[in-house]
């Protein structure tokens, strides 16, 4: 039997969650399609995986473009010697920023939805199309505290993320009985990654050890979700650093 | 003092909730902008209101077009003799339909979002822009059970409605302290209106009296929300017929 | 037709919510059983109601004692000239206090449950026993933000209040189709009443007008819930002052 | 370094979840206190663990009795050669049964709370007292779908379970920052255990493979929660068999 195949959509810098998911899935024995917009970043992720003796390849794509998503799944489903079928998909695309509601342009509101929800639909639909007929597989969506609560200045983010959550929930209810495990992970708190280290280094410093979410720790729970036996599947789990106020 | 002004976006047939909201707000003393896509339908709603001696005017518009929404608010904010300022806005647009997830086109998923969430953003943003500086007013959003739960075949609907709910929640948290009351009404169950009577007459019959949601009864709660004193505002309320299984 | 009868359990000082509910229900035309532990306080509430020409009587009782609750309902159900049947019950008993979790005695945890949940069961069960067979009536439970979230230092309160909420929800699902309207009101924020004015006068002062929940404003929503037609019943509504951070 | 110590409260038949938790924790390297009311049953669980070369001991106790709970923790905290300190506690006591609300005795409502919530408080408080000062450890509570929703005939169960959930949430918010991981597992669906096999054998048969929750699969997620690094702790996770309708 060959290596099972995984897709991670929304991979950026090596320090980010997307890259950590790729590394964990590769370490778990998968050949990973590392999908993201920046060739430079995702190729670096692939190199790091390869350097450990694990297996991955880069897929430059824009998850808000239907053709790109379909093409990615076509690639991942193509039979290859030594490879087993696709059985794990993670949707990790998204961005976040506090904005002035009254000054926000309609285009900006839409952009948040495109990456936060619509791209998730495209990926979720392709995953359902390809995996449900096989009666197995896992689809994991990255959520946020905004998936559950709308805070001032975050309407554009929460509206997209809550939509993604409902997508995941609807898919879970429909495809779970067919053997496809769909789960939603609520990431609550700052991630100790590229973005925060660059934009708010003093905050990262101030939080101290375990004061921010660790990407490898998060990835461990994604992996656990993929490994859950069918007789006890989780649909939603929240993750936060132990010092987080919530 | 003149009549305060109200806007109801998403008005269709006379038997529907939009029309009932218009009638209730007019009966409560407002001059109502009856906004919807079909001139024939909304003019009929205006005529019925006028026949009772209340005040309303038709506004043909598409809530998914930014210009239309801005123009509608411009009209409603224009000072006129005998009229007071705008102080009540209801967003009632939306549609629902069970669909096959794997067969759904990307355009269809987007269309549900345009009417179910994006139009609500355009209306909510204009309302915030116009009313928050005045330190008063009410904005009411029509939700559904799909705002809270994603069922099989309803991913497109739930994703849009959950987004609308987060929009309302974010607005409430931001603009409540400034004096703008933003609330979300979860309509759970079939509405005894045009749509169901035409598409599923036997179901309407079978449910019997009070087995379906009454639009005038719903409108009464919208009116109550508008009338709540600032010292006890509701942000969310659910409504269902007493026989509804939930 | 005579006056319909109402019961309000958990009435204390005149400035409190219990007293406001009594006044509102009496003003709405009910004869109100003003039920509480302190004869002095509830008799004062009765006198105020009588002075306005409305109708009420005191019922000294402890809602955590089954005999007291049964006896109260026996009284309220007894046919009397000029009185119609019982059709409105509000459960408003409860207390709140931040406590050190590790130092809390088992007795203290139980006491919070007795008043916050068990008393609600006794009242809810009697209401269901008496009203469900008649196929009409309203039962309203006073909740709190603790009904939905457990904060540090409030485990004893949240555990009781969340239990009360589930009681209300179970009753609504079971007895709604039989004609009994059961609703739960989530009171979020400080009440501008006796307790806060005495214990934290500077806070009451600092919040300013409408910065705290007004008991009469809250009572208006309880009354609205009682008046809702069967074709659009609310099961849960949250109330907070417009300046509340939530 | 010796074996770390675990306590599982609410252990019954070998086929049940309590026993599975004991086996999993023992397999993970813990010495497990197998705590329950029936000496015969828990001794059987201990024997099975010992037969595999793992370590456990029986603790006959009633979790609704404060003395019993305190004594259990005293035992588990007593330094012994070859044993490390207590660092894992699971509260798995509880029962469930549909009941006629109007016929339910006050004692019955209280009994459900004693085992479903009060016992959890006693265990949670002892765990917090002993573990928070050490700045580490895990406390896991077994929830149910009734923790989140009150269905007809289950008011007594949902009121207790929702209370337990709030207890867990309050503890998590208070003790998480101190290093104690508190999580709540929502078990949704029938457990393929002793109870269902005896009471509804045809239902167990009809569901087929993976149609019911597997206790070993559930135990795997409890173990995962215990193993989560501090930088990504879950507070709540739901588990159900893949065919479950939810």
């Amino acid at each position: 039997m060959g290596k099972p195949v995984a897709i991670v959509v929304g991979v950026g810098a090596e320090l980010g969650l997307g890259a950590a998911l790729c590394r964990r899935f590769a370490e778990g024995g998968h050949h990973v399609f590392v999908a993201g917009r920046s060739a430079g970043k995702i190729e670096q992720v692939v190199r790091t995986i390869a350097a450990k003796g694990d297996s991955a390849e880069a897929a430059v794509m824009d998850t808000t473009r239907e053709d790109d998503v379909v093409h990615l799944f076509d690639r991942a489903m193509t039979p290859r010697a030594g490879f087993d079928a696709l059985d794990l998909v993670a949707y990790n695309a998204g961005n976040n920023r506090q904005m002035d509601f009254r000054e926000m342009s309609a285009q900006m509101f839409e952009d948040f939805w495109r990456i936060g929800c619509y791209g998730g639909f495209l990926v979720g639909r392709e995953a359902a199309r390809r995996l449900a007929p096989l009666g197995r597989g896992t689809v994991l969506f990255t959520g946020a505290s905004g998936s559950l609560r709308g805070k001032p200045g975050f309407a554009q983010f929460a509206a997209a993320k809550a939509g993604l959550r409902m997508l995941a929930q609807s898919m879970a209810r429909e495809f779970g009985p067919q053997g496809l495990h769909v789960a939603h992970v609520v990431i609550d708190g700052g991630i100790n990654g590229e973005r925060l280290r660059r934009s708010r280094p003093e905050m990262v410093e101030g939080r101290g050890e375990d004061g921010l979410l660790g990407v490898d720790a998060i990835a461990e729970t994604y992996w656990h979700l993929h490994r859950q036996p069918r007789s006890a599947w989780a649909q939603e789990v929240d993750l936060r650093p132990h010092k987080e106020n919530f």
Side-chain angles (χ1 to χ4, degrees), chain A:
Chain A
M1 213 177 68
K3 270 182 181 294
V5 171
I7 290 175
V8 179
V9 173
V11 183
E14 282 226 277
L15 290 168
L17 175 56
L21 294 176
C22 293
R23 288 192 301 270
R24 185 63 188 84
F25 297 168
E27 186 190 319
H30 282 68
H31 174 72
V32 182
F33 281 83
V34 180
R37 277 181 300 186
S38 161
K41 288 179 180 174
I42 62 181
E43 280 158 10
Q44 179 57 43
V45 173
V46 168
R47 276 193 297 274
T48 302
I49 289 171
K52 284 196 283 187
D54 293 327
S55 178
E57 70 186 274
V60 180
M61 53 88 73
D62 177 348
T63 192
T64 67
R65 296 180 51 164
E66 187 173 14
D67 287 352
D68 283 18
V69 174
V70 171
H71 179 65
L72 172 64
F73 277 81
D74 283 345
R75 270 178 71 186
M77 297 294 289
T78 305
R80 285 201 273 179
F83 283 24
D84 207 343
L86 176 70
D87 82 339
L88 174 54
V89 176
Y91 186 75
N92 183 58
N95 51 9
N96 194 2
R97 189 148 46 102
Q98 188 160 14
M99 303 190 71
D100 186 307
F101 183 74
R102 283 180 287 178
E103 297 304 316
M104 192 167 12
S105 69
Q107 188 59 52
M108 184 60 76
F109 187 79
E110 180 168 337
D111 288 349
F112 268 87
W113 173 76
R114 291 249 168 246
I115 184 79
C117 183
Y118 176 75
F121 162 73
L122 294 176
V123 169
R125 186 191 60 177
E126 286 315 302
R129 284 175 170 174
R130 319 288 180 133
L131 299 179
L134 305 178
R136 54 132 190 73
T138 305
V139 185
L140 304 172
F141 291 94
T142 297
S145 50
S147 309
L148 297 163
R149 287 163 66 82
K151 292 288 187 67
F154 292 100
Q156 69 291 348
F157 179 66
K161 280 301 205 183
L164 185 72
R165 181 175 180 250
M166 282 300 118
L167 172 81
Q169 214 180 81
S170 299
M171 284 183 65
R173 288 194 167 96
E174 180 163 355
F175 300 109
Q178 298 179 33
L180 183 58
H181 184 189
V182 182
H184 181 250
V185 184
V186 177
I187 308 286
D188 183 16
I191 287 184
N192 193 346
E194 175 90 350
R195 234 174 278 174
L196 274 183
R197 287 195 199 179
R198 202 176 42 208
S199 63
R200 305 179 59 191
E202 74 302 329
M203 187 267 238
V204 173
E205 184 68 24
R207 286 299 183 92
E209 201 188 352
D210 306 327
L212 290 170
L213 281 152
V215 293
D216 293 321
I218 297 173
E220 208 54 53
T221 287
Y222 278 67
W223 182 248
H224 169 73
L225 290 170
H226 175 57
R227 300 289 297 167
Q228 286 182 319
R230 287 179 177 209
S231 63
W233 275 354
Q235 206 287 303
E236 189 161 81
V237 57
D238 54 344
L239 294 177
R240 60 182 62 77
H242 82 104
K243 288 182 184 168
E244 187 74 14
N245 186 20
F246 71 104

